[in-house]
């Protein structure tokens, strides 16, 4: 076991789960990740393996067939998986945000209906907030739900759906002005709908189209899509929690889990970049000695390892805070911001250590170099994180003059 990024105070069960996941990553993910990534191929065999390990039910309570584990256990598993291939962690992250939102906010009928099949990995989750014109400004959502008898009719276009094609359940945030007078704050007139669909592309149910995969610089293998709703009819019992106007709060609760997850991904990718850099530095020789013997490279390795350690500590702290039932938006924002920035820096340093070979598709660092930037923008940009952190700090340290 490596010296860096260790977590104190884990139970025997947590250690056993992590050891199993790390073993799976080393044997089943790392050897094939770069080849699959270059082909932009969905890692079906890896996903089947994760399903067999019970990872789709990791945080789902035992009464619904899950393992009932903590956010910390989940985040540490994500860190291991991202160390192997970040795209795979994306496949389970969106699933977990939806499962978490159902567990926290769903009606009893919704939990009974979805969670057991989600725990088994038979239903895969995706969630959808962003739209083509709004990015991180969730309050500007224009997709709309209008009540029509016992149903709602949804219209609008969504963007940046991870698992958009492969998922069979999408939690969609739209505006629903029903019961909310004119002038209601935007975040109080939003509702989350649980939309069931067939996996695939094209018209996946009447009124719902998944046009196809968005071609991306990195983060390949996992499908990222748009979602178009045109007269999509959803029964009223598929409003998350059974009550309109609560969607923004439900999604933000889910995103706090998601931000810890993105921090964990940053930690995992940074760890892998460090491993690649420190290995290569001992193999490559210049001026009669391994480049690891040059002080310039040792300084780089020292900075990289320190960043790996710091990001891991902040991510663990944010997960533990949420597990204890406390509000963790400040800690999650800090962890996501720091881990994604440090990840980019550690990856770039490993890339520099590889010299010209870092530019070759034969070397794994080339893939990591294209993957790291996604963490700077996913689940809210670095600027959004700083805005959240700044506001929360001003709440905590209000001047009492």
């Amino acid at each position: 076991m490596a010296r860096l990024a260790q977590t104190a105070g884990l139970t025997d069960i947590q250690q056993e789960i992590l050891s199993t996941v790390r073993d799976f990553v080393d044997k089943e993910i790392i050897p094939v990740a770069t080849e699959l990534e270059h082909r932009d191929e969905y890692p079906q065999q890896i996903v089947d393996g994760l399903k067999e390990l019970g990872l789709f039910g990791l945080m789902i309570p035992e009464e619904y067939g899950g393992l009932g584990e903590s956010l910390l256990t989940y985040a540490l598993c994500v860190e291991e998986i991202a160390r192997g291939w970040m795209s795979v962690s994306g496949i389970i992250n969106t699933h977990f945000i939806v499962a978490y939102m159902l567990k926290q906010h769903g009606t009893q009928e919704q939990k009974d209906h979805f969670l057991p099949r989600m725990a088994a990995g038979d239903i895969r989750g995706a969630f959808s907030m962003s739209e083509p014109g709004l990015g991180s400004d969730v309050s500007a959502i224009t997709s709309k739900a209008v009540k029509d008898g016992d149903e709602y009719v949804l219209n609008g276009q969504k963007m940046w759906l991870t698992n958009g094609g492969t998922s069979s359940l999408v939690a969609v945030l739209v505006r629903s002005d029903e019961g909310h007078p004119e002038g209601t704050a935007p975040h109080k007139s939003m509702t989350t709908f649980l939309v069931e669909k067939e996996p695939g592309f094209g018209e996946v149910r009447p009124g719902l189209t998944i046009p196809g995969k968005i071609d991306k610089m990195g983060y390949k293998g996992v499908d990222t899509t748009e979602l178009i709703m045109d007269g999509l009819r959803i029964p009223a019992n598929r409003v998350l929690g059974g009550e309109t106007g609560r969607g923004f709060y439900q999604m933000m609760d889910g995103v706090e889990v998601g931000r810890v997850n993105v921090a964990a991904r940053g930690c995992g990718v940074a760890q892998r970049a460090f491993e690649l850099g420190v290995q290569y530095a001992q193999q490559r020789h210049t001026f009669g000695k391994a480049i690891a013997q040059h002080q310039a490279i040792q300084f780089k390795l020292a900075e990289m390892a320190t960043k790996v350690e710091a990001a891991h500590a902040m991510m663990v702290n944010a997960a533990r805070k949420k597990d204890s039932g406390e509000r963790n938006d400040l800690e999650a924002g800090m962890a996501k911001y720091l881990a994604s920035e440090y990840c980019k820096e550690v990856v770039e340093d490993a890339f520099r250590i590889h010299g010209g070979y870092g530019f070759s598709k034969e070397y794994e660092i080339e893939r990591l170099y294209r993957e790291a930037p996604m963490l700077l923008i996913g689940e809210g940009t670095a600027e959004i994180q700083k805005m959240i952190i700044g506001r929360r700090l001003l709440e905590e340290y209000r001047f009492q003059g």
Side-chain angles (χ1 to χ4, degrees), residues 272-292:
R272 185 62 184 157
F274 173 77
E275 286 171 15
L276 294 171
V278 78
Q279 282 166 17
Y280 187 80
Q282 293 170 77
Q283 292 162 353
R284 173 77 165 159
H285 286 72
T286 62
F287 307 105
K289 58 183 177 182
I291 63 171

Side-chain angles (χ1 to χ4, degrees), residues 16-35:
E16 196 180 319
I17 290 171
L18 283 177
S19 163
T20 304
V21 172
R22 175 171 273 260
D23 200 40
F24 181 82
V25 167
D26 287 340
K27 287 177 182 165
E28 308 294 334
I29 298 183
I30 288 175
V32 299
T34 297
E35 188 190 334

Side-chain angles (χ1 to χ4, degrees), residues 145-154 176 178 193 232-236 239 244:
V146 176
K147 187 96 191 279
D148 182 23
D150 289 338
E151 296 181 316
Y152 286 84
V153 180
L154 277 59
S176 60
E178 170 236 358
F193 285 88
L232 172 63
R233 303 188 80 86
I234 302 292
V239 169
T244 61

Side-chain angles (χ1 to χ4, degrees), residues 63-64 102 106-118 238:
E63 72 235 52
Y64 299 107
L102 271 161
T107 64
Q108 195 56 53
E109 184 272 332
Q110 288 166 356
K111 291 181 203 179
D112 292 342
H113 183 75
F114 291 113
L115 288 179
R117 287 185 293 158
M118 290 185 84
R238 288 296 169 257

Side-chain angles (χ1 to χ4, degrees), residues 16 35-37 43 58 65 68 85 129 155 174 178 180 182 185 201 227 239 289-290 301 321 331 335 364-365 397:
E16 196 180 319
E35 188 190 334
L36 289 173
E37 197 269 352
L58 194 63
W85 183 13
M129 288 192 292
N155 287 288
V174 299
E178 170 236 358
H180 306 286
E182 197 69 40
F201 298 98
L227 177 146
V239 169
K289 58 183 177 182
L301 293 171
K321 190 119 190 176
E331 291 75 14
E364 199 180 327
I365 192 64
Y397 292 90

Side-chain angles (χ1 to χ4, degrees), residues 221-358:
V222 58
D223 49 287
T224 306
T225 71
E226 295 173 74
L227 177 146
I228 298 163
M229 300 173 289
D230 183 11
L232 172 63
R233 303 188 80 86
I234 302 292
N237 68 355
R238 288 296 169 257
V239 169
L240 181 61
E243 192 186 328
T244 61
R246 303 284 306 153
F248 182 80
Y249 303 104
Q250 294 162 346
M251 279 281 181
M252 289 305 108
D253 189 23
V255 163
E256 278 180 24
V257 172
R259 284 185 179 143
V260 172
N261 170 285
V262 173
R265 287 197 231 182
C267 292
V269 173
Q271 277 176 49
R272 185 62 184 157
F274 173 77
E275 286 171 15
L276 294 171
V278 78
Q279 282 166 17
Y280 187 80
Q282 293 170 77
Q283 292 162 353
R284 173 77 165 159
H285 286 72
T286 62
F287 307 105
K289 58 183 177 182
I291 63 171
Q293 298 307 311
H294 295 293
Q295 192 180 52
I297 299 297
Q298 287 182 15
F299 279 7
K300 268 198 198 312
L301 293 171
E303 288 167 10
M304 290 160 73
T306 303
K307 287 171 181 174
V308 165
E309 193 73 354
H312 177 82
M314 286 196 81
M315 179 271 289
V316 167
N317 179 52
R320 282 189 159 141
K321 190 119 190 176
K322 186 88 172 171
D323 282 334
S324 71
E326 294 177 74
R327 184 177 175 182
N328 86 331
D329 54 344
L330 176 68
E331 291 75 14
M334 283 180 165
K336 192 270 174 188
Y337 167 58
L338 189 89
S340 57
E341 294 290 342
Y342 276 180
C343 173
K344 173 187 64 103
E345 291 168 17
V346 171
V347 166
E348 180 157 323
D349 278 341
F351 175 80
R352 287 170 188 255
I353 287 170
H354 279 74
Y357 288 107

